[in-house]
Amino acid sequence: MRRWGGLACALAVCGGAVAGCGAGQRGDAAAAAAEAFVSALREGDGAAACAALATETAQGLAASEGAPCEEAIGALGLPDAAPSAVDVWSDRAQVRTRDDVLFLAEFEDGWKVVAAGCRPQGERPYECEVGA
Amino acid sequence: MKRALRDNGLSIGFGLLFLAALIGQAFAGQAAYNDRQLADAGAQVTLVQYVTSSDFAVDVAENWQSEYLQFFLYVFATVWLVQRGSPESKRVEETGTEPDREQKVGRFATADSPAWARAGGWRTAVFSRSLGAVMGVLFGLSWLAQSIAGRSANNAERLAQLQDPLTWLGYVGSADFWNRTLQNWQSEFLAIGSIAVISVYLRQRGSPESKPVGESHDTTETSG
């Protein structure tokens, strides 16, 4: 039973490590990806904004707007304030700006925005202009 | 070597079964996780990434805590609760912590009794409860690990579904935490109740979990 005890302790420590450790660096990376997205919006650079989106999100936007992502994204008038808070859990992140909430996911080529222009709906999922 | 293997067959056998099952769980869990990632437009993970993830940790911890709870409760409950005719129970008239003479503590300790059984005072008091206490601590640690890893895994799922993450207290009060917890607890309690009752009437020749095959249904606390 001592062997099991050691494993249980290790698991408790690992549980904490998985939940907490590494969140700082990964949070910075997620915030940087969100910053790349909103700064592209601020500068009116549709191509750069779409490059910061996850592939499926960009494709979904183009399909729903009936226009290339680069053109469609600027027409939405999405909020473009800088990130002020980031919350990372596993390969998902939520980034808050002064007037928006963005959701990101980590892919092989780094963090990408999967949803932006999001408004809370109580207990229900956020309603997002992009990536809903 | 051969003798050591034979003398420790139960711990070695179950240790190997544990490792084999844990490795199998890792492969199956990775496949299931990657299936969900496809649906959520997330990235695929390697086996190493999966076994260091909170998803794997919570799936392991939720089962560990319930097993340790099972033994913790079983060790304590069988001091007071009996089942007439069950080899899992002591005799009906022996409920409680029993006299020192039967427990071989203090002045009733024998030459080969553990030192803390002979010592008396707080050491004997602690040693007298050490099995249940350690099971209880292991249960607590495993349940804590489940809550921490579960919150992490659940928050990742919530973000994938465009929902706000939960605080630890919020998660401990959530349906996900209690669904994971209670679905494991009910199966452990069912298993204990089942073996206590079924072993009254059925036998497994040679097993210490069973009475001898020819023993009466009314006989309690006999193994063979």
Side-chain angles (χ1 to χ4, degrees), chain B residues 70 184-198:
Chain B
Q70 175 186 24
N184 283 281
W185 286 5
Q186 57 85 13
S187 64
E188 304 303 338
F189 299 153
L190 175 69
I192 286 184
S194 299
I195 190 72
V197 172
I198 293 172

Side-chain angles (χ1 to χ4, degrees), chain A residues 3 9 18 22 27-28 30 41 58 62 68 73 86 88 95 97 101 123 129:
Chain A
R3 186 159 39 106
C9 292
V18 165
D28 291 345
L41 291 178
I73 191 98
V86 60
V88 177
V95 174
T97 69
V101 176
E123 289 291 301
E129 291 190 56

Side-chain angles (χ1 to χ4, degrees), chain B residues 113-124:
Chain B
S113 291
W116 280 35
R118 261 199 313 274
W122 67 269
R123 277 174 291 194
T124 298

Side-chain angles (χ1 to χ4, degrees), chain B residues 144-161:
Chain B
L144 177 65
Q146 179 197 330
S147 73
I148 294 169
R151 178 192 173 209
S152 178
N154 186 246
N155 277 348
E157 274 178 39
R158 289 179 66 86
L159 290 182
Q161 292 160 8

